[in-house]
Amino acid sequence: MIQRFGSRFLLGMLATLVAAAAVLIVSGSLAGALVALVGGIVVVLLAFGAADTNLAAPPAADPVPPSAPLAPVLEAIVEPVLVIANGRVEEANGPAREVLGNHITGQDVRLAIRHPAAAERLTAAPGTGSSEPINLVGLGTLDQRWELRVTDLPDGRRVAHLIDQTRSYAAERMRVDFVANASHELRTPLASILGFAETQADGAGDDPAMRDRFLKVMADEARRMQRLVEDLISLSRIEAEKYRLPDASVDLGDLVSEVHSELMDAADERASDIVADIAANVPPVGGDRIQLSQALHNLIGNAMKYGRAGTPVTVKLWRDATNMVRLSVGDEGDGIPPEHIPRLTERFYRVDSGRSRALGGTGLGLAIVKHIVERHRGRLDIASQVGRGTVVTILLPAAVSSKGNATVTEGPKPA
Ligand code: ADP
């Protein structure tokens, strides 16, 4: 400690001794001298202890390891990163070379990233460039969107980091389109209801036949809005549960019978065209019964709507060789031209909007089915032949027993 604090500590101790001796000489009291001595020592130790906490030199840092080469560090980063020195690309990792070209190392950065705002930022005098990210379109493929972030290093070099924003941009576009479409879909029946209500108020309601016709149109439009709102609520509920794997054991054969009875009870004249073909020994699936029922309602509803009147709507259930449970709904209708098939599960996508609306469609039925199937870790297949009809199949993994085997339900299922 003496070594650490040096002469000031020794002086403090010396002063304490002198003070104790003075007390002894002046007062002749040994006890008083001892109190002065101990008190003094404590004061000196406390003072230098506090100094130790506040002023002690920091512990010596670990020896600095020799600096590692930069390239392997950059290669470990999955996003494109460039190091720029004197306006030229000094280092570029693999993802950067993939997006900007293999030749960019050593190249003028304005040629490597051909974008005016990026070039201006990357060649600005040190410390003068903005730290705001720059949005770039068209690097790599034409529709790719990037955010460029530039950091100035103390040695004058720069690090340019490209962050791929293509997916979040597409998600944002989808969200904006969805809000615009949903508003439009709601506004149309609402405008119609308001228009008829105003016409009624203007005296058209005096004619009973006219009034009944108007009231029917208003009720139909209100029901259309109701269906749309219900589908929107369903969609948002299913999306909210997206990552929660449904775990109830659902017997799809029973579910088909249940949905069939519900449609018969609803007195839909097409319900009597439903033909169920349920194979024996179909294992249950791990699922959410209410959502699977909704998916089945939507598929059978489409087959009834778009299939020709009086033709069968065939619901089949079987287990395939890969132990997947397949539930298909087929109709004999006009079918769907192949170019539309990849887009049918997009929200509000319709092959023929007028026909869909006239049949009471919301344009959300297949989007709901797709989300339900995804939540069940299943797959949706749509096969169609123009002029012949459409078959939509849901594939779901069979429920697995605690022993790891697919559970098998014995015996034939009711049709
Ligand atoms: P909608 O409420 O319009 O029926 P869906 O999301 O259920 O919406 O279906 C999207 C579109 O796919 C429909 O508008 C229709 O054009 C087409 N479609 C769906 N199912 C069938 C089918 N079984 N036969 C022919 N076209 C279908």
Side-chain angles (χ1 to χ4, degrees):
M1 185 176 281
I2 291 170
Q3 252 179 350
R4 188 137 31 112
F5 299 125
S7 54
R8 280 164 57 210
F9 180 78
L10 279 176
L11 272 175
M13 286 301 188
L14 206 58
T16 304
L17 274 175
V18 171
V23 169
L24 186 61
I25 292 163
V26 172
S27 67
S29 159
L30 185 62
L34 276 175
V35 169
L37 183 65
V38 172
I41 290 172
V42 168
V43 168
V44 171
L45 284 176
L46 280 177
F48 280 88
D52 187 18
T53 321
N54 296 331
L55 304 173
D62 290 339
V64 179
S67 61
L70 196 56
V73 179
L74 293 183
E75 290 304 333
I77 301 171
V78 290
E79 284 169 324
V81 179
L82 307 160
V83 177
I84 295 148
N86 302 319
R88 291 194 173 272
V89 178
E90 186 183 79
E91 300 267 7
N93 67 357
R97 294 194 301 276
E98 211 171 288
V99 173
L100 302 169
N102 266 326
H103 53 277
I104 55 169
T105 313
Q107 200 177 40
D108 186 322
V109 71
R110 289 168 297 186
L111 296 176
I113 303 180
R114 289 168 190 265
H115 189 283
E120 191 183 319
R121 173 66 186 94
L122 289 166
T123 52
T128 60
S130 154
S131 58
E132 287 296 303
I134 299 167
N135 293 316
L136 309 176
V137 191
L139 295 182
T141 59
L142 272 182
D143 53 354
Q144 259 180 312
R145 292 178 176 264
W146 298 94
E147 184 180 288
L148 170 69
R149 288 179 177 267
V150 182
T151 310
D152 289 351
L153 300 180
D155 64 5
R157 289 186 298 170
R158 289 201 162 113
V159 176
H161 180 190
L162 286 163
I163 302 152
D164 192 349
Q165 297 286 10
T166 314
R167 286 178 73 169
S168 61
Y169 182 83
E172 177 60 11
R173 263 235 72 82
M174 263 177 69
R175 194 190 61 76
V176 171
D177 288 352
F178 175 64
V179 172
N181 283 331
S183 316
H184 175 76
E185 295 284 339
L186 284 169
R187 198 177 54 181
T188 312
L190 191 60
S192 172
I193 292 170
L194 283 173
F196 280 109
E198 279 161 15
T199 317
Q200 287 273 75
D202 288 347
D206 298 344
D207 173 358
M210 187 83 96
R211 188 192 58 215
D212 287 353
R213 204 166 68 78
F214 282 10
L215 284 176
K216 183 176 176 318
V217 175
M218 287 163 72
D220 285 349
E221 293 297 306
R223 268 187 223 106
R224 189 170 138 194
M225 286 178 74
Q226 190 184 33
R227 278 195 301 274
L228 188 62
V229 169
E230 276 167 3
D231 274 359
L232 287 170
I233 291 172
S234 290
L235 203 53
S236 76
R237 278 206 191 119
I238 297 161
E239 277 192 307
E241 292 187 316
K242 194 167 163 176
Y243 298 109
R244 208 169 57 77
L245 192 63
D247 52 5
S249 173
V250 181
D251 183 323
L252 290 177
D254 286 351
L255 195 69
V256 172
S257 305
E258 189 181 291
V259 171
H260 192 177
S261 312
E262 284 166 8
L263 290 166
M264 293 293 275
D265 291 347
D268 188 315
E269 59 187 33
R270 284 282 273 145
S272 56
D273 295 326
I274 297 172
V275 181
D277 177 3
I278 314 291
N281 297 339
V282 177
V285 297
D288 179 319
R289 193 179 176 87
I290 293 173
Q291 287 187 358
L292 290 173
S293 165
Q294 184 173 12
L296 198 51
H297 267 284
N298 288 4
L299 295 186
I300 297 179
N302 277 353
M304 296 197 310
K305 274 190 307 199
Y306 299 110
R308 270 182 292 278
T311 57
V313 167
T314 311
V315 184
K316 287 188 184 169
L317 177 70
W318 74 105
R319 176 167 54 166
D320 70 13
T322 64
N323 212 19
M324 294 291 273
V325 175
R326 289 178 178 245
L327 177 63
S328 76
V329 179
D331 64 66
E332 295 176 18
D334 293 341
I336 307 163
E339 65 273 21
H340 293 286
I341 290 183
R343 300 197 59 191
L344 293 180
T345 56
E346 287 176 23
R347 298 155 187 191
F348 299 116
Y349 189 87
R350 293 149 159 138
V351 176
D352 178 344
S353 300
R355 187 166 176 218
S356 157
R357 288 203 180 89
L359 294 168
T362 59
L364 293 173
L366 287 179
I368 290 174
V369 174
K370 183 190 94 167
H371 279 88
I372 291 174
V373 172
E374 278 179 357
R375 186 181 165 217
H376 285 75
R377 311 289 187 268
R379 214 179 79 202
L380 183 69
D381 273 357
I382 303 176
S384 190
Q385 269 186 291
V386 176
R388 300 281 302 272
T390 303
V391 180
V392 184
T393 309
I394 294 176
L395 287 88
L396 296 171
V400 174
S401 71
S402 52
K403 288 180 191 142
N405 303 319
T407 28
V408 175
T409 314
E410 295 298 338
K413 291 274 142 295

